[in-house]
Structure formats: C-alpha cells, structure tokens
C-alpha cells in the first residue's frame, strides 16, 4: 500500500518489454501535480519541479513537425528534489 498522495505505477515501455516482470515505481503522477497547482490557482509551468517535454515522431522515430504523418508526443515529469523542497517550505 502507498500513502494517499503516492501512486504505484509501471512504465508503459517496461511493460511492453518485460510484461509482468516490469518493476513497480512509487511516486506522484505529474498530471495530478499539474491539476493540484491549477486547482490552487497556480500556473505549474512557472515552477521548475514540473516538466513537460514535447517532440514529434513518425512511426516511433524522431521527426520534424513538418514531416508528413508526424505526431506530437508529450511526456510530463516531476523533479522530486524541488517538489520536496516546495512541500517542506509549506510546513
């Protein structure tokens, strides 16, 4: 069991490669942190703890936006050292 604020998850690419043997990670979900900031009237993009990476792909390979069939991909992440400092600062 995880504390109420944490989640257990597996990375999708690890599940694809390892199936049930993919390791379980414990942490916050970036989308949950993003929403908590928005709900609190804060812009998450103004805080370095919140990461949003975007890129373009064609058939799983990096490509430019102009490439025919290119699809934008996005990954959200959290810098835990900054998140923990933010939480400690609120105590």
């Amino acid at each position: 069991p995880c504390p109420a604020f944490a989640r257990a998850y597996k990375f999708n690419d690890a599940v694809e490669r390892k199936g049930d043997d993919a390791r379980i990670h414990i942490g916050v979900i970036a989308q949950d942190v993003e929403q908590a900031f928005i709900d609190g009237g804060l812009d998450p993009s103004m805080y370095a703890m919140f990461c949003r990476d975007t890129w373009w792909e064609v058939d799983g390979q990096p490509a430019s936006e102009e490439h025919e069939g290119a699809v934008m991909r996005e990954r959200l992440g959290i810098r835990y050292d900054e998140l923990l400092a933010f939480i400690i600062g609120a105590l």
Side-chain angles (χ1 to χ4, degrees):
C2 298
F5 58 85
R7 302 279 187 260
Y9 60 91
K10 294 182 179 185
F11 288 113
N12 292 336
D13 61 338
V15 172
E16 289 174 13
R17 287 191 325 272
K18 302 175 184 177
D20 290 340
D21 290 334
R23 294 188 301 171
I24 297 169
H25 296 264
I26 306 297
V28 298
I29 303 298
Q31 290 86 340
D32 293 345
V33 174
E34 178 181 42
Q35 192 60 55
F37 273 56
I38 292 168
D39 291 348
L42 301 172
D43 177 357
S45 69
M46 296 302 296
Y47 295 83
M49 77 180 74
F50 186 74
C51 304
R52 180 183 307 271
D53 299 312
T54 58
W55 66 96
W56 293 86
E57 288 183 356
V58 173
D59 297 326
Q61 298 299 313
S64 69
E65 179 179 355
E66 295 80 23
H67 194 282
E68 184 178 333
V71 176
M72 186 176 82
R73 300 292 186 195
E74 181 176 73
R75 180 179 16 237
L76 304 180
I78 296 294
R79 291 184 178 110
Y80 279 88
D81 56 336
E82 297 208 22
L83 174 64
L84 294 174
F86 184 83
I87 292 168
I88 290 168
L91 297 178

